[in-house]
Amino acid sequence: MKKVSLLAPGPTPVPPRTLLAMAQPLIHHRSSDFLDIFGQVREGLKKLFKTENDVLVFCSSGTGAMESAVANLLSPGDKAIAIRGGKFGERWTELLEAYGCQAVNLDVEWGYAVKPADVAALLKQDPSIKAVYVQALETSTGVSHPIKELAQVTKDTGAVLVVDAVSALGAYDIPTDEWGLDVVLSGSQKALMLPPGLAFASIGPKALEMMKTSKCPKYYFSWAKELKNQGINKGTFTSPVTLFMGLLDIFELIEEMGLDNIYRETEIKSKAFKAAMAALGLSLYSKENASVGLTAVEAPEGIDGQDVVGWLKNKYAIFIAGGQAQAKGKIFRVAHMGYISEFDTLQGISAIEMALAGLGYKFDMGAGVAAAQKIFGEA
Amino acid sequence: MKKVSLLAPGPTPVPPRTLLAMAQPLIHHRSSDFLDIFGQVREGLKKLFKTENDVLVFCSSGTGAMESAVANLLSPGDKAIAIRGGKFGERWTELLEAYGCQAVNLDVEWGYAVKPADVAALLKQDPSIKAVYVQALETSTGVSHPIKELAQVTKDTGAVLVVDAVSALGAYDIPTDEWGLDVVLSGSQKALMLPPGLAFASIGPKALEMMKTSKCPKYYFSWAKELKNQGINKGTFTSPVTLFMGLLDIFELIEEMGLDNIYRETEIKSKAFKAAMAALGLSLYSKENASVGLTAVEAPEGIDGQDVVGWLKNKYAIFIAGGQAQAKGKIFRVAHMGYISEFDTLQGISAIEMALAGLGYKFDMGAGVAAAQKIFGEA
């Protein structure tokens, strides 16, 4: 019996009630019922982002929202800082170059977090820099960059701060307005427990001002057009109706649970999983700011991280993720965000133990599970 | 009892079995199971488009695919013909201008089809024109443009022909390779009977060649990147897994029914509906090349087309579409594509009769239904 379990950092499992909410007969995207759903989704997003800003919805993967934050803010030739401490950070450079902008690359060793002082120095050195692009949670390394502090160093400059929170939003608290985040991006398939297909962008006053002078081409991802139309609860183009119905259901779930409880549970799962890995004698790949959304673990000496991933997938139908690019083979990554319970987490730990044993690693079988159980029991 | 019926030209109803196929637990977008699904979807698309070309899949509305056909073919300053005989034709001009290209607007009176000779004359007059952009079925007027003939006039020029077949593909035969169509675009939410969220682009050799010199910025919609990755059954970014599962189910349905049978049924529904409107004394808005995919009908003298649409929506929960822009108030539009049966069509006719009677139009009640029944009975 192959019972699939998703423990990779996205797509995460979708609650069965939400799958059924999306299996309802379609409604028309220009009907008053759908306008009503659109309005409720907009309100739900504002609560989740903790903002009074407009939060736009796009039908795309998270990368579409990232692209929109280049195309709608900058003009060809503009300079912007790309904080690169992992694979997703590198995407900023690719995006900036695709639009003829100048990427000021701030390279951070994989597994470490950016130092806000380094960003401040770059901004001071070159006041023509128009934007700072960063991941809240760099999914490839499991590191959370210090977003609150980055907002402090960008606040009094001419640059806007753009935060990719695709993996972070809903996993831990990122209060847009309290921290003064100019642009926050997210997606449907991680902590929001939905299938992939929706991307979000909250746009603050400083970003709105910069948008007015942007000369990069944009159409499908045009903020100006969507601000106008979504402001009256209409997508400019055909909205993915079923995903909106799913998102409405997810917002009901979040309302029932309470955002703070969700954050607390995510943190406990993360703490239990990290304790389990320590009990097995394994080190985290994230040397600082290890995120609660997911954990990146170094494979033991002599064992290929991809073999751990492959063992879980092929023998148990459990999906975790391997390393990407320079981390390939060195690590494996396990998610704690979204619709993943403490017992899913224990199952993952148990499967990792069985895989490691099968691959010849020596340790006390069950030690990881016991360490995690202890933390879950205390919580 | 409010039993919703969708008869608008997209989103169309989704078969219940397909809704349930999409309600299955999520699978991981990098799993071998999903690569297998991706491969089957690619094969299904080739059969549907009748092409050996690669057919790319994007997570977006149809407009995203339209944008990709500007951004990946042209460079700023390039000239291209925008065939504008309705609202969607006008979108080409907006897209071309967004990318700094020069739109050569070929305006066609709404309700009429473009004359291939006019396109040929423009191309002869200015051989620097690099592309011709057209809708197969202009959804706002119900007119099918003569795609086969347009391919003949573009074939021996330096220009590629880009066909937006979002409303057309799957409603009637548009054989990409037989007609020599350089680029054909489509979407999930019309004849393909799926929720909105997937867009498609088939790319022929002449377009591939032009792509190599294109300098417009692109990233999320980059053909080159997707050709490379989708060529090995992987989306560059996170694929909308559930819609792929739905599309696989739709391809099974199409295989069971046979494409030719689907085209024949669509044609019969169209014929029956058009006969019904004639029996009620109403005229088509499409003065030539009236499409089989949907019918645009002129509202009777003194009756606002929007009132017919509103009557059906508010009293019967039946969704048809009104006119857009210059046709607003003058017409209403009813779809025949996708998962709409002959009895759905009769229900629509019946509802339109009841609305017209309620709005004061004089005619023999039941005459439309009877005319359609006769055609369904003979078929």
Side-chain angles (χ1 to χ4, degrees):
Chain A
M1 188 166 53
K2 225 184 172 188
K3 200 163 171 181
V4 172
S5 180
L6 292 185
L7 289 171
T12 57
V14 178
R17 60 172 261 183
T18 309
L19 288 169
L20 291 176
M22 292 188 291
Q24 291 175 80
L26 248 67
I27 62 176
H28 193 254
H29 68 299
R30 300 297 184 208
S31 66
S32 56
D33 283 355
F34 188 69
L35 297 197
D36 190 46
I37 290 174
F38 208 126
Q40 290 177 61
V41 159
R42 279 170 57 79
E43 282 314 304
L45 286 168
K46 285 182 182 186
K47 274 192 204 169
L48 176 71
F49 280 69
K50 298 192 175 172
T51 186
E52 294 298 317
N53 298 335
D54 269 301
V55 185
L56 299 180
V57 186
F58 293 99
C59 172
S60 74
S61 83
T63 304
M66 289 172 73
E67 178 161 350
S68 83
V70 171
N72 286 276
L73 289 169
L74 304 183
S75 300
D78 278 354
K79 280 185 207 162
I81 296 174
I83 295 176
R84 312 197 309 170
K87 184 169 174 281
F88 291 91
E90 290 173 358
R91 190 163 287 174
W92 295 123
T93 305
E94 293 174 14
L95 275 163
L96 288 164
E97 289 175 352
Y99 278 83
C101 301
Q102 294 183 56
V104 180
N105 294 325
L106 178 43
D107 287 322
V108 176
E109 191 182 344
W110 285 38
Y112 292 83
V114 70
K115 290 184 180 54
D118 291 349
V119 175
L122 281 176
L123 288 173
K124 200 173 174 189
Q125 194 182 306
D126 187 348
S128 75
I129 290 172
K130 293 189 72 175
V132 177
Y133 292 94
V134 67
Q135 270 65 39
L137 162 46
E138 171 56 65
T139 315
S140 63
T141 66
V143 170
S144 286
H145 287 301
I147 299 306
K148 187 181 177 182
E149 293 73 16
L150 287 172
Q152 282 157 2
V153 304
T154 51
K155 175 174 73 169
D156 296 321
T157 70
V160 293
L161 178 65
V162 176
V163 180
D164 163 7
V166 171
S167 286
L169 200 83
Y172 56 96
D173 199 23
I174 301 178
T176 300
D177 288 357
E178 189 188 321
W179 289 0
L181 309 176
D182 300 308
V183 175
V184 179
L185 312 172
S186 199
S188 52
Q189 78 279 16
K190 310 250 179 177
L192 287 186
M193 310 175 262
L194 280 177
L198 291 179
F200 313 110
S202 83
I203 303 159
K206 195 171 167 186
L208 282 176
E209 209 45 52
M210 193 176 285
M211 181 187 89
K212 290 180 190 162
T213 58
S214 158
K215 290 197 172 59
C216 283
K218 52 254 176 189
Y219 190 85
Y220 183 73
F221 290 119
S222 162
W223 286 357
K225 247 189 331 239
E226 295 302 331
L227 283 164
K228 182 167 159 260
N229 290 313
Q230 296 190 22
I232 50 170
N233 298 335
K234 283 182 177 181
T236 308
F237 310 115
T238 310
S239 299
V241 177
T242 41
L243 286 169
F244 272 72
M245 287 159 81
L247 187 51
L248 204 62
D249 189 66
I250 291 293
F251 283 141
E252 273 179 30
L253 264 175
I254 291 178
E255 196 72 31
E256 285 166 23
M257 294 254 330
L259 255 183
D260 288 340
N261 292 325
I262 291 172
Y263 296 150
R264 187 158 46 238
E265 284 194 9
T266 307
E267 200 177 341
I268 294 166
K269 285 178 279 177
S270 160
K271 202 175 148 195
F273 185 83
K274 287 171 172 67
M277 295 303 107
L280 300 179
L282 302 182
S283 306
L284 298 191
Y285 183 63
S286 326
K287 298 305 172 198
E288 52 187 22
N289 290 23
S291 165
V292 301
L294 66 99
T295 301
V297 184
E298 290 179 351
E301 189 72 36
I303 291 179
D304 189 315
Q306 291 302 108
D307 289 341
V308 180
V309 176
W311 190 289
L312 264 64
K313 184 181 75 174
N314 299 326
K315 293 198 192 287
Y316 315 135
I318 295 176
F319 290 87
I320 63 173
Q324 295 166 290
Q326 59 175 266
K328 192 157 189 158
K330 295 183 190 161
I331 67 171
F332 54 88
R333 295 174 298 140
V334 174
H336 316 304
M337 70 204 25
Y339 189 62
I340 290 170
S341 73
E342 62 266 55
F343 294 102
D344 294 331
T345 304
L346 286 171
Q347 179 190 23
I349 295 166
S350 165
I352 289 166
E353 290 193 11
M354 288 157 72
L356 289 173
L359 290 164
Y361 180 61
K362 304 289 177 210
F363 65 101
D364 283 343
M365 183 69 97
V369 170
Q373 280 175 312
K374 188 157 178 289
I375 288 172
F376 284 129
E378 286 163 6
Chain B
M1 186 166 55
K2 226 184 172 188
K3 199 162 171 182
V4 172
S5 179
L6 292 185
L7 291 170
T12 57
V14 178
R17 61 172 260 184
T18 309
L19 288 169
L20 292 176
M22 293 188 292
Q24 291 174 81
L26 247 68
I27 60 175
H28 194 256
H29 67 299
R30 300 296 184 210
S31 66
S32 56
D33 283 355
F34 187 69
L35 297 198
D36 190 45
I37 289 175
F38 208 125
Q40 290 177 62
V41 159
R42 280 169 56 80
E43 283 313 303
L45 286 168
K46 285 184 183 185
K47 273 192 204 168
L48 176 70
F49 280 69
K50 298 191 174 171
T51 186
E52 295 297 317
N53 298 335
D54 268 302
V55 184
L56 299 180
V57 186
F58 294 99
C59 172
S60 74
S61 82
T63 303
M66 289 172 73
E67 178 161 351
S68 82
V70 171
N72 286 276
L73 289 169
L74 304 183
S75 300
D78 279 353
K79 279 186 208 162
I81 296 174
I83 295 175
R84 311 199 308 169
K87 183 167 175 281
F88 291 91
E90 290 173 0
R91 190 162 287 174
W92 295 123
T93 305
E94 293 174 15
L95 276 163
L96 288 165
E97 288 175 352
Y99 278 84
C101 302
Q102 294 183 56
V104 180
N105 293 325
L106 177 43
D107 286 322
V108 176
E109 192 181 344
W110 285 38
Y112 292 83
V114 69
K115 289 185 181 52
D118 291 349
V119 175
L122 282 175
L123 288 173
K124 199 173 174 189
Q125 193 182 308
D126 187 348
S128 75
I129 290 173
K130 293 189 72 175
V132 177
Y133 291 95
V134 68
Q135 270 64 39
L137 161 47
E138 170 56 65
T139 315
S140 64
T141 66
V143 170
S144 286
H145 287 301
I147 299 307
K148 186 181 178 185
E149 292 73 16
L150 287 172
Q152 283 157 2
V153 303
T154 51
K155 174 174 75 170
D156 296 321
T157 70
V160 293
L161 178 66
V162 176
V163 180
D164 163 7
V166 171
S167 287
L169 200 83
Y172 56 96
D173 198 24
I174 301 179
T176 299
D177 288 357
E178 189 189 321
W179 289 0
L181 308 177
D182 299 309
V183 175
V184 179
L185 313 171
S186 198
S188 53
Q189 79 278 14
K190 309 250 178 178
L192 287 186
M193 310 174 261
L194 281 176
L198 291 179
F200 314 109
S202 82
I203 302 159
K206 196 170 165 187
L208 282 177
E209 211 44 52
M210 193 176 285
M211 180 186 90
K212 291 181 190 160
T213 59
S214 158
K215 290 197 174 59
C216 283
K218 53 252 173 190
Y219 190 84
Y220 183 74
F221 290 119
S222 161
W223 286 357
K225 250 190 327 241
E226 295 303 330
L227 283 165
K228 182 167 159 262
N229 290 313
Q230 295 190 23
I232 50 170
N233 299 334
K234 282 181 177 183
T236 308
F237 311 115
T238 310
S239 298
V241 178
T242 42
L243 286 169
F244 272 73
M245 286 158 81
L247 187 51
L248 204 61
D249 189 65
I250 291 294
F251 283 141
E252 274 179 29
L253 265 174
I254 290 178
E255 195 72 31
E256 285 166 22
M257 293 255 328
L259 257 184
D260 288 339
N261 291 325
I262 292 173
Y263 296 150
R264 186 160 45 239
E265 284 193 10
T266 308
E267 199 178 341
I268 293 166
K269 287 178 276 177
S270 162
K271 201 175 149 195
F273 186 82
K274 286 171 173 66
M277 295 302 109
L280 301 179
L282 303 181
S283 305
L284 299 190
Y285 183 63
S286 326
K287 298 306 171 197
E288 51 186 23
N289 288 25
S291 164
V292 301
L294 66 99
T295 303
V297 184
E298 290 179 351
E301 189 73 34
I303 291 179
D304 190 315
Q306 291 301 108
D307 289 342
V308 179
V309 176
W311 190 289
L312 262 63
K313 183 181 75 174
N314 299 326
K315 293 198 192 286
Y316 316 134
I318 295 175
F319 290 87
I320 63 172
Q324 294 166 293
Q326 60 174 263
K328 192 159 188 158
K330 294 183 191 161
I331 66 171
F332 54 87
R333 295 173 298 141
V334 174
H336 316 304
M337 72 214 7
Y339 190 60
I340 290 170
S341 73
E342 64 265 55
F343 294 102
D344 294 331
T345 303
L346 286 171
Q347 178 190 25
I349 296 166
S350 165
I352 289 166
E353 289 194 11
M354 288 158 72
L356 289 173
L359 291 164
Y361 180 60
K362 303 291 176 207
F363 65 101
D364 284 344
M365 183 70 96
V369 171
Q373 280 176 313
K374 188 158 178 288
I375 288 172
F376 284 129
E378 286 164 5

